[in-house]
Amino acid sequence: MKANNPDDDTAHEKAAEMAQEDDHLLRLTAAGALSPDYRVGAGTWEAGRWLAVNWIDGTALWHALAPARSPEGDRASVRSGLTGIARSWTHHLARMHAAGWVHADVQPTNTLVTNDGRAAVIDYALACGPDDHRPVPYRGALTHTTAPEIATAILTAPADTHIQAHPAADIWSLGASLFWCWTGHRPVRYDEATDRPEKLAAIAKGTTTAPRDVRPWPFPAFEDAITVCLAPDPADRPTATELATAW
């Protein structure tokens, strides 16, 4: 359940975001990209707006991959778990992309790992779809998983300009999230104290750390798939459908 605090300084913005997410959920469901069971309901109350979605019993990606970050993680069950999460996550993105949508906020906190080892994607407030007449312009999401082309657009476009994300940006964010949660390191190096524009400028350069330099143990096929996801040129990244066969 999400509900805005009417007394908060950002109450109007939060209400607009929830209305936008509800619109996205309805349209994604109609397009067959999202299960009709996900959205429970939405509406207004005396002083605000609410949105309810189905509870997903899962573990946040960072915590789910904790065993993989250990040197002792080099075993068949962990390898299988990693590829299963990546494959199911990619299949979900492929459904969205086929319907003309981009999640646009692919990151560890928006991905839960269910008891059967599958990735469940949540939070569609920032999604970018066809004929998108949205009240809240897209200006990127979590800095650490922002694709280079999105970073460049944020730095160069006026602050109130909507940036239309494309499927290749989701693929970069997917690779960045898996890289981060498996190795314990973000794919682009910068000081944590650096402000957001400087971090985005570093990402925009397109240079990432090689997985082999920070991996907890070797997993060549997985490393190769992550590396191709992080290609600086969007045209060099695989589609979600192509990627699903690589894990």
Side-chain angles (χ1 to χ4, degrees):
M1 169 73 78
K2 294 182 179 181
N4 71 312
N5 178 359
D7 296 324
D8 191 275
D9 291 340
T10 61
H12 177 74
E13 179 182 339
K14 293 299 182 183
E17 286 180 1
M18 277 187 283
Q20 179 169 282
E21 182 169 12
D22 187 41
D23 174 64
H24 290 170
L25 296 182
L26 291 169
R27 293 167 64 195
L28 282 163
T29 301
L34 195 61
S35 168
D37 296 332
Y38 183 71
R39 179 187 180 275
V40 175
T44 57
W45 51 294
E46 183 179 355
R49 189 173 188 91
W50 61 272
L51 172 66
V53 297
N54 190 39
W55 175 261
I56 297 174
D57 189 11
T59 304
L61 185 69
W62 176 264
H63 298 296
L65 295 193
R69 288 193 294 276
S70 167
E72 290 73 35
D74 188 7
R75 56 185 189 271
S77 60
V78 175
R79 289 170 180 255
S80 177
L82 275 174
T83 54
I85 291 168
R87 189 179 302 113
S88 56
W89 198 351
T90 306
H91 279 304
H92 180 82
L93 293 178
R95 287 177 62 191
M96 289 191 69
H97 297 171
W101 282 82
V102 178
H103 186 274
D105 194 8
V106 174
Q107 56 155 299
T109 56
N110 285 340
T111 308
L112 302 175
V113 179
T114 58
N115 292 332
D116 61 357
R118 296 177 61 83
V121 179
I122 61 174
D123 200 338
Y124 296 85
L126 301 183
C128 293
D131 303 318
D132 215 356
H133 305 292
R134 53 197 294 147
V136 183
Y138 178 66
R139 299 291 302 176
L142 181 69
T143 302
H144 309 314
T145 56
T146 299
E149 64 273 20
I150 300 296
T152 298
I154 294 170
L155 293 170
T156 57
D160 58 350
T161 301
H162 170 66
I163 298 168
Q164 184 69 23
H166 298 285
D170 272 355
I171 299 301
W172 197 96
S173 299
L174 170 69
S177 298
L178 290 169
F179 183 109
W180 185 7
C181 292
W182 176 42
T183 69
H185 299 266
R186 294 186 291 268
V188 178
R189 293 182 178 177
Y190 39 68
D191 190 296
E192 185 60 40
T194 302
D195 62 21
R196 187 168 190 250
E198 289 183 73
K199 291 175 181 175
L200 291 172
I203 293 171
K205 293 177 181 177
T207 302
T208 56
T209 302
R212 65 178 177 275
D213 293 339
V214 291
R215 68 192 179 191
W217 39 272
F219 192 177
F222 195 68
E223 296 168 42
D224 290 346
I226 288 177
T227 298
V228 74
C229 287
L230 296 175
D233 187 340
D236 292 335
R237 298 171 206 152
T239 66
T241 300
E242 292 168 342
L243 185 60
T245 64
W247 302 115

